[in-house]
């Protein structure tokens, strides 16, 4: 398909482990696009939902209406929330980048180099850009909880793609944690309640999440990923 | 929670035409499960009964919530699906507006009761949130169960997205209650891809709901439970003779399928017709229902951008099947690609049988077991049909 379509449309595949907020990210990303007056559709993959089991969610984001449904088989952007997705093959595709389109973006939460030589060769041929940073450490440093890892990942994605403004994001994060319209699964509801206890007030949770997101925006502003080397590393 | 503990809601009641076509709407970004439950909320449903099965469970969970909020008079979880579907039939005798929903294996478990609904003239709306049926276990969407449903007399609508799920479910209540129809209406859509995915839905206010159900306007009057003995079936065929039993049954089957056909005029009235056609002069058509229609629509858009002669047909009504409409839409087609979310290709078979030159129908692409149907696979078939190369890297 033509190149100009790709610029207006991102098909995003998010892979992580149960409990990392993969599905929550998809919901917030969708609402963020909605707040920006753009379009999104999102779908989680449902399998054995439990902590540490592979989890995937998919978001389509565009400036035009989206008709397509189902999991994203040919992504433009892949987000990897845990190094085990790569090293232990905890993805619904093997290898994790199956179906990746040329000139695409991969964001990986890791504190070490997870790609092997074969991966690097394939991704170089696809002219991909891989952004590596320790989102979990960033979440712990700023928000004081690894449960904000998903905010760091989402912030990096939005910081790099400049799809929406921080105001759009703030409204979406607020809706997710303070709103009434969200339908969550049992496990997600338990995590929500655990994190609420940790932050006495939900407003505090919101503020911490936004601090994490703002930090990733600053980091993303430091680099130009177009025409960069295959792997871009951020120190946290 | 008994009825006295629930809120008593003051709602404005209106005709379906007003609700579907005129009432102001507001856009929401919600899941398909929420969209179906919101439609049930606005349909002024008397009673919902269900047994949970993934991915239907989110719909019926939400229907339970709206029961607690006072939008429905009665709701309970049955012992299993055959019990659910039998209880729906029983509740119909009392003359109330009914809703239930199920998925894949649950539908099959309840099917014996469901297939009797048409003959018993049960005006119920059945949500089918499609799911894989066969072993090995999967909970993902695959609309094979719709193939089993297609021959029981029920009207069947197939929703493409969250908006359709809302509109079709509301329209289903109006269609099922028409005296000249009065058979169940099933609204199917793919589990997860619609039920657990968020999309845009323009909805009417939830202060507005459908007029009350009128059990008197029925070809089979409700039982008078106040005056015993209540009789379930008048002039039961088996109490005549064997011959009369066969005769009555065969006549009744004809009547059910005639009722099914009579639903078509209401499908025109409420859904604007059983099919949607884009670019009718094209050489190659992509034709689909449900989520496959969504994928076809996207493929159609890409084809337009690339200047290819491609048309799009969405099939909204599976029963009654729009044979004539499809024949008219495809009369100049050189090839028809029918992508599906099931292995047997039930829609493809129906389309082949509907048109005089069935050989132009391309079978597939098909995905099953709950797999996603990538638009790229449809684009590959479009290019092949047009004699063009398409580079699809896997």
């Amino acid at each position: 398909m033509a190149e100009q379509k790709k610029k207006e449309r991102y098909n995003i595949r998010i892979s992580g482990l149960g409990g990392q907020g993969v599905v929550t990210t998809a919901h917030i990303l969708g609402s963020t696009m909605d707040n920006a007056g753009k379009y999104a559709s999102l779908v989680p993959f449902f399998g054995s939902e439990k902590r540490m089991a592979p989890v995937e969610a998919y978001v389509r984001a565009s400036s035009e209406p989206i008709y397509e449904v189902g999991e994203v088989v040919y992504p433009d952007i892949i987000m990897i929330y845990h190094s085990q997705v790569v090293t232990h093959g905890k993805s619904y595709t093997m290898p994790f980048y199956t179906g990746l389109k040329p000139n695409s973006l991969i964001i990986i939460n890791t504190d070490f180099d997870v790609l092997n030589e074969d991966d690097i060769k394939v991704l170089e041929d696809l002219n991909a850009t891989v952004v590596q940073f320790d989102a979990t450490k960033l979440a712990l440093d700023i928000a004081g909880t690894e449960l904000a890892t998903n905010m760091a990942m989402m912030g990096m994605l939005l910081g790099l793609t400049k799809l929406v403004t921080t105001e759009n994001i703030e409204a979406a994060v607020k809706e997710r944690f303070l709103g009434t319209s969200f339908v969550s699964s049992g496990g997600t509801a338990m995590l929500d309640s655990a994190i609420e206890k940790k932050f006495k007030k939900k407003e505090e949770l919101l503020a911490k999440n936004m601090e994490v997101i703002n930090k990733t925006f600053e980091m993303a502003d430091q680099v130009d990923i177009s025409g960069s080397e295959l792997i871009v590393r951020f120190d946290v | 929670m008994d009825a006295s503990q629930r809120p008593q809601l003051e709602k404005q009641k209106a005709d379906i035409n007003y609700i579907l076509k005129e009432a102001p709407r507001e856009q929401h970004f919600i899941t398909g499960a929420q969209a179906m439950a919101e439609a049930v909320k606005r349909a002024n449903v008397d009673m919902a009964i269900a047994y949970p099965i993934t991915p239907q469970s989110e719909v019926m969970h939400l229907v339970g919530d709206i029961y607690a909020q006072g939008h429905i008079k009665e709701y309970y979880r049955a012992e299993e699906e055959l019990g659910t579907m039998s209880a729906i039939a029983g509740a119909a005798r009392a003359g109330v507006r009914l809703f239930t929903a199920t998925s894949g294996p649950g539908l099959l478990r309840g099917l014996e009761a469901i297939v009797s609904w048409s003959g018993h003239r049960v005006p119920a709306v059945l949500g089918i949130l499609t799911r894989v049926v066969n072993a090995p276990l999967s909970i993902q969407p695959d609309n094979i169960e719709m193939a089993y449903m297609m021959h029981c007399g029920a009207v069947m609508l197939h929703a493409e997205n969250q908006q359709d799920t809302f509109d079709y479910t509301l329209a289903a209540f109006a269609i099922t209650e028409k005296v000249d129809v009065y058979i169940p209406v099933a609204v199917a859509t793919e589990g997860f891809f619609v039920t657990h995915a968020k999309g845009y839905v323009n909805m009417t206010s939830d202060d507005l709901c459908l007029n009350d159900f009128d059990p008197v306007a029925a070809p089979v009057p409700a039982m008078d439970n106040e005056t015993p003995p209540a009789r379930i079936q008048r002039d039961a065929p088996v109490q005549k003779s064997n011959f009369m039993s066969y005769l009555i049954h065969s006549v009744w089957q004809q009547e059910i399928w005639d009722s099914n056909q009579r639903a078509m005029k209401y499908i025109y009235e409420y859904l604007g017709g059983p099919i949607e056609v884009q670019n009718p002069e094209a050489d190659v058509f992509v034709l689909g229902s449900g989520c496959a229609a969504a994928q076809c629509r996207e493929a159609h858009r890409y084809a337009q951008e690339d200047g290819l002669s491609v048309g799009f047909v969405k099939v909204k009504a599976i029963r009654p099947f729009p044979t004539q409409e499809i024949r008219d839409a495809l009369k100049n087609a050189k090839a028809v690609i029918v992508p599906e979310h099931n292995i047997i290709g039930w829609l493809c078979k129906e389309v082949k049988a509907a048109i005089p030159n069935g050989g132009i129908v391309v079978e597939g692409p098909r995905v099953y077991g709950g797999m996603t149907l990538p638009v790229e696979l449809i684009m590959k078939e479009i290019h092949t049909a047009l004699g063009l190369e398409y580079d699809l890297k896997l």
Side-chain angles (χ1 to χ4, degrees):
Chain A
M1 270 155 268
E3 273 306 296
Q4 73 271 13
K5 265 175 270 170
K6 196 172 150 284
K7 293 195 182 75
E8 296 162 0
R9 168 74 174 266
Y10 294 94
N11 289 345
I12 306 164
R13 184 161 75 207
I14 311 172
S15 305
L17 303 183
Q20 286 195 297
V22 164
V23 175
T24 301
T25 310
H27 279 277
I28 298 174
L29 266 177
S31 303
T32 301
M33 291 297 289
D34 182 31
N35 293 336
K38 297 182 180 182
Y39 297 89
S41 73
L42 56 100
V43 60
F45 183 96
F46 281 79
S48 48
E49 297 121 314
K50 54 192 175 215
R51 297 204 77 171
M52 296 301 282
V55 171
E56 271 186 10
Y58 310 85
V59 181
R60 293 180 177 87
S62 177
S63 49
E64 290 175 34
I66 296 160
Y67 306 126
E68 205 179 350
V69 297
E71 290 107 8
V72 171
V73 179
Y74 299 102
D76 306 297
I77 297 177
I78 294 176
M79 298 169 78
I80 302 293
Y81 277 33
H82 199 289
S83 55
Q84 284 191 4
V85 170
V86 179
T87 56
H88 295 189
K90 288 194 171 188
S91 164
Y92 287 104
T93 59
M94 276 290 274
F96 72 96
Y97 50 74
T98 299
L100 186 70
K101 290 185 175 173
N103 313 312
S104 297
L105 173 65
I106 300 174
I107 304 172
I108 307 179
N109 170 27
T110 182
D111 58 352
F112 64 99
D113 290 334
V114 288
L115 301 180
N116 64 32
E117 277 179 30
D118 292 342
D119 294 342
I120 288 170
K121 166 99 181 55
V122 173
L123 295 175
E124 271 174 351
D125 288 349
L126 283 169
N127 194 32
T129 303
V130 180
V131 171
Q132 282 192 179
F133 78 115
D134 192 342
T136 304
K137 181 167 186 298
L138 189 78
L140 272 167
D141 287 353
I142 295 177
T145 170
E146 64 206 35
L147 289 173
T149 300
N150 58 351
M151 295 296 136
M153 291 296 286
M154 188 180 76
M156 184 59 79
L157 168 80
L158 293 171
L160 292 169
T161 56
K162 311 230 171 357
L163 275 169
V164 295
T165 65
T166 44
E167 287 75 30
N168 300 144
I169 302 172
E170 185 154 5
V173 174
K174 204 179 258 178
E175 173 55 29
R176 168 61 183 82
F177 293 106
L178 305 181
T180 52
S181 71
F182 182 73
V183 183
S184 62
S185 70
T188 305
M190 265 165 52
L191 279 175
D192 276 4
S193 118
I195 197 162
E196 273 167 39
K197 275 180 199 145
K198 192 164 184 135
F199 293 91
K200 285 173 221 89
K201 289 187 206 130
K202 281 187 171 184
E203 282 79 6
E204 203 179 324
L205 161 67
L206 180 67
K208 288 289 182 193
N209 280 338
M210 285 311 299
E211 265 185 62
V212 173
I213 289 166
N214 288 333
K215 177 67 187 170
T216 55
F217 265 56
E218 280 171 31
M219 290 162 71
D221 275 346
Q222 292 163 19
V223 293
D224 174 15
I225 55 166
S226 59
S228 66
E229 294 290 302
L230 172 68
I231 300 175
V232 178
R233 284 185 195 82
F234 286 110
D235 291 328
V236 175
Chain B
M1 184 190 290
D2 69 48
S4 64
Q5 293 170 298
R6 289 183 301 124
Q8 302 296 306
L9 304 176
E10 288 292 325
K11 287 187 165 192
Q12 185 199 337
K13 290 171 184 169
D15 170 63
I16 188 69
N17 273 304
Y18 175 75
I19 295 177
L20 277 181
K21 298 172 189 170
E22 294 166 39
R25 291 190 178 217
E26 199 177 272
Q27 193 179 66
H28 297 263
F29 188 55
I30 57 175
T31 66
Q34 287 175 301
M36 190 170 262
E38 290 295 333
V40 170
K41 190 193 271 184
R42 287 155 179 79
N44 190 12
V45 166
D46 294 302
M47 186 165 189
I49 309 165
Y51 187 75
I53 179 168
T54 305
Q56 158 263 31
S57 35
E58 199 147 304
V59 171
M60 293 316 292
H61 170 133
L62 292 165
V63 169
D65 287 351
I66 65 176
Y67 160 74
Q69 292 157 16
H71 297 278
I72 303 182
K73 294 190 188 73
E74 196 55 80
Y75 175 78
Y76 73 89
R77 197 193 78 182
E79 62 271 43
E80 36 71 31
E81 285 87 355
L82 186 61
T84 303
M85 305 310 169
S86 304
I88 289 283
R93 300 288 170 275
V96 296
R97 184 174 286 150
L98 297 155
F99 177 77
T100 188
T102 189
S103 292
L107 181 100
L108 263 58
R109 193 165 166 80
L111 200 59
E112 186 187 353
I114 292 170
V115 298
S116 75
W117 286 358
S118 304
H120 284 307
R121 313 308 291 255
V122 170
V125 172
L126 169 69
I128 303 176
L129 297 319
T130 70
R131 167 184 161 170
V132 160
V133 169
N134 295 318
L137 179 68
S138 167
I139 56 170
Q140 285 286 101
D142 175 325
N143 55 36
I144 192 80
E145 76 263 55
M146 289 179 68
Y148 300 97
M149 257 303 281
M150 281 164 68
H151 308 296
C152 73
V155 171
M156 290 174 68
L157 309 174
H158 200 181
E160 175 187 346
N161 49 32
Q162 292 83 355
Q163 181 72 60
D164 279 1
T165 303
F166 178 80
D167 290 332
Y168 290 12
T169 304
L170 263 175
F173 285 100
I175 296 169
T176 192
E177 289 167 18
K178 295 291 176 192
V179 179
D180 55 346
V181 178
Y182 230 78
I183 49 175
V185 179
V187 178
T189 194
E190 275 68 15
F192 297 115
F193 293 172
V194 177
T195 58
H196 289 59
K198 277 188 174 180
Y200 295 98
V201 184
N202 281 305
M203 296 198 295
T204 53
S205 160
D206 63 3
D207 295 335
L208 180 69
C209 72
L210 202 54
N211 284 326
D212 286 335
F213 181 64
D214 178 6
V216 178
V220 182
M223 284 193 304
D224 180 359
N225 291 294
E226 305 295 319
T227 319
R231 292 202 302 185
I232 290 176
Q233 204 173 22
R234 294 170 305 168
D235 300 327
V238 289
Q239 288 164 12
K240 304 286 184 183
S241 64
N242 280 347
F243 176 75
M244 285 305 287
S245 167
Y246 309 147
L247 185 66
I248 291 167
H249 198 281
S250 70
V251 168
W252 201 235
Q253 286 201 38
Q254 290 176 40
E255 163 59 11
I256 294 310
W257 285 104
D258 283 350
S259 305
N260 194 293
Q261 280 301 320
R262 291 196 294 264
M264 188 60 102
K265 61 178 172 290
Y266 302 113
I267 289 167
Y268 272 98
E269 187 175 350
Y270 302 132
L271 305 181
I275 63 172
E276 175 195 336
V277 183
Q278 303 267 348
N279 202 12
E281 304 304 320
D283 292 332
V284 171
F285 280 83
V286 285
L287 180 151
S289 68
C291 277
Q295 307 306 82
C296 287
R297 192 186 292 281
E298 200 84 283
H300 175 248
R301 169 159 67 186
Y302 289 146
Q304 298 303 302
E305 286 175 7
D306 293 346
L308 305 175
S309 179
V310 173
F312 164 64
V313 179
K314 166 180 166 179
V315 181
K316 305 180 211 175
I318 306 302
R319 287 287 181 272
F321 192 73
T323 303
Q324 192 57 50
E325 287 82 354
I326 287 177
R327 201 177 286 168
D328 291 345
L330 300 180
K331 62 180 183 295
N332 297 321
K334 295 184 175 64
V336 185
I337 296 156
V338 187
E340 288 191 63
H341 281 274
N342 67 83
I343 194 168
I344 61 163
W346 49 257
L347 182 60
C348 176
K349 290 183 197 340
E350 300 258 330
V351 173
K352 263 190 177 179
I355 62 176
N357 49 342
I360 65 166
V361 174
V362 177
E363 297 197 20
R366 284 179 201 157
V367 295
Y368 26 89
M371 302 287 285
T372 298
L373 173 52
V375 173
E376 286 80 355
L377 292 185
I378 304 174
M379 293 307 294
K380 186 168 190 299
E381 293 296 344
I382 288 173
H383 281 73
T384 305
L386 290 166
L388 303 169
E389 289 288 315
Y390 184 72
D391 182 21
L392 178 63
K393 284 193 182 120
L394 283 167

